[in-house]
Amino acid sequence: MSAYIARRILFMIPTLLGIMLVSFLVVQFAPGGPVERMIAKISGQDTGATSRISGSAGGDFAARNQFQGAAGSEVINSKYRGAQGLDPEFIKSLEKQFGFDKPAYERFLLMLWNFSRFDFGKSYFRDVRVLDLIKEKLPVSMSLGIWMTLLTYLISIPLGIRKAIREGSRFDTWTSGVIVVGYAIPGFLFAILLIVLFAGGSFFDFFPLRGLTSENWHSLPWWGKILDYFWHLTLPILTMSLGAFATMTMLTKNSFLDEIRKQYVLTARAKGCSEHQVLYGHIFRNAMLLVIAGFPGAFVHAFFSGSLLIEIIFSLDGLGLLGFESVLNRDYAVVFATLYIFSLIGLAVNLISDLTYTWVDPRIDFETREV
């Protein structure tokens, strides 16, 4: 197993290189980079996402204005749209500030070298180290992703097994109806419904609508801090778990049904094994392999991209919202850093998933297989 783990870790290196290279090439052809964003802000043409940029970039307009020539007094040839009337030296200073004074291949190699040392530099527009920015947003995404995944698996797996055992019964029928309805409701619509019903909308005011903890969280006792934490998480977690709960329940049910119909189950029953022994001693290990296979994708999706709308609706400032706004604002330092970290975590979770296979079913041996 150690040799397999070593091969998988080594295989992560070219995979990460490929992800970063493709993303870097796409960004080179994307219109409206950080230099254009800064030019638009200085010339008063900043709209949309750039209006949310905070930090020193927007605050030092007066200091940088000294580089700006009289509008219309000089027409310069520039590769940046909207740069007419600006001092060429100021444009060069912007390029140097954002690292665009170097060739593309040199910027890519420098980025890889820095990322290999987990040096992600500073945000273009926030004047904050990218790693500090990610650390600041990480608790929200961790809370949403971990608790949503745990809740989904703890409910869906027992329910899916029960539905498989009692297939065709009234229990199976009405729970399937609930699951279909839950799967059909969009997450953001369900979030709005919960807000209207339980968060001071039109009926009850049981749950808060902002943040991960209350303002007086630090003054609460330890048990009060735990209750306050989960009080804030209740509605977001319920919203995120809805679609994943339906998918995981049906996946578990179908996996168990496929195994129940196989010959080895009939043989085990013929030998006098009890239903409990047949279900958890023979069927469980084989049926759970398919469920475990979907864990990495479900976890990474919930941890990052799946929380974007939920973070917006419930005013939770996490990694999903950070990545989205960084793409809109062309804050490439944050974009590439979050992409690198997300990809690295995704590859690590895939490896953990493979190791979990051997824990569920020791008969699986990855040593004799290729990566």
Side-chain angles (χ1 to χ4, degrees), residues 18-291:
I19 293 172
M20 300 307 297
L21 177 60
V22 171
S23 303
F24 186 83
L25 291 176
V26 170
V27 164
Q28 302 313 302
F29 296 100
V35 176
E36 287 91 335
R37 290 292 187 186
M38 183 62 70
I39 292 173
K41 195 170 186 68
I42 290 175
S43 60
Q45 300 173 1
D46 182 34
T47 58
T50 57
S51 63
R52 296 195 298 269
I53 296 175
S54 59
S56 62
D60 58 359
F61 171 80
R64 291 181 176 173
N65 197 39
Q66 59 180 315
F67 295 104
Q68 184 176 1
S73 63
E74 178 185 6
V75 178
I76 58 174
N77 293 324
S78 176
K79 59 184 176 180
Y80 302 111
R81 185 175 59 182
Q84 287 77 12
L86 295 179
D87 192 324
E89 293 300 322
F90 175 56
I91 302 298
K92 290 181 181 179
S93 69
L94 284 180
E95 290 180 335
K96 185 175 181 180
Q97 175 184 344
F98 296 122
F100 284 88
D101 57 329
K102 302 180 179 67
Y105 74 90
E106 188 175 338
R107 286 187 278 120
F108 179 70
L109 293 177
L110 180 62
M111 181 184 70
L112 291 181
W113 169 246
N114 291 331
F115 281 15
S116 66
R117 298 178 291 120
F118 286 89
D119 180 10
F120 302 112
K122 281 189 174 183
S123 168
Y124 286 167
F125 302 106
R126 302 173 189 255
D127 196 27
V128 180
R129 291 177 65 244
V130 174
L131 199 57
D132 292 337
L133 200 58
I134 293 175
K135 289 179 180 178
E136 178 187 343
K137 314 297 183 182
L138 191 59
V140 173
S141 295
M142 285 184 62
S143 298
L144 294 176
I146 292 175
W147 292 116
M148 173 266 192
T149 305
L150 288 176
L151 181 65
T152 300
Y153 272 72
L154 288 175
I155 296 177
S156 298
I157 291 177
L159 180 59
I161 295 174
R162 189 67 175 175
K163 285 174 63 63
I165 296 173
R166 302 182 60 180
E167 184 191 18
S169 66
R170 294 180 61 182
F171 172 81
D172 182 42
T173 302
W174 74 262
T175 52
S176 295
V178 172
I179 289 172
V180 169
V181 172
Y183 185 76
I185 298 177
F188 72 91
L189 189 61
F190 186 61
I192 295 174
L193 175 64
L194 291 179
I195 290 174
V196 171
L197 292 177
F198 303 112
S202 301
F203 295 90
F204 306 101
D205 190 8
F206 293 152
F207 298 98
L209 271 179
R210 182 177 298 274
L212 203 60
T213 56
S214 300
E215 294 182 359
N216 64 335
W217 187 80
H218 293 286
S219 62
L220 297 174
W222 66 267
W223 55 267
K225 291 180 179 180
I226 295 176
L227 291 178
D228 182 76
Y229 171 73
F230 284 106
W231 181 47
H232 282 76
L233 277 179
T234 299
L235 296 187
I237 295 300
L238 287 177
T239 303
M240 292 183 63
S241 302
L242 185 65
F245 160 76
T247 303
M248 186 57 59
T249 300
M250 297 309 298
L251 177 63
T252 304
K253 175 189 174 182
N254 293 332
S255 298
F256 272 79
L257 285 178
D258 288 341
E259 295 298 323
I260 286 174
R261 299 188 181 104
K262 291 184 177 179
Q263 184 64 41
Y264 74 90
V265 176
L266 297 177
T267 303
R269 286 172 175 164
K271 289 182 177 180
C273 294
S274 65
E275 282 298 314
H276 186 273
Q277 291 175 326
V278 171
L279 184 62
Y280 294 101
H282 296 78
I283 298 176
F284 184 81
R285 291 188 302 178
N286 296 326
M288 287 302 297
L289 291 177
L290 185 60
V291 176

Side-chain angles (χ1 to χ4, degrees), residues 1-21:
M1 181 58 67
S2 58
Y4 174 78
I5 295 175
R7 292 200 306 269
R8 285 293 300 268
I9 293 175
L10 291 176
F11 186 71
M12 290 181 185
I13 298 175
T15 304
L16 275 175
L17 287 176
I19 293 172
M20 300 307 297
L21 177 60

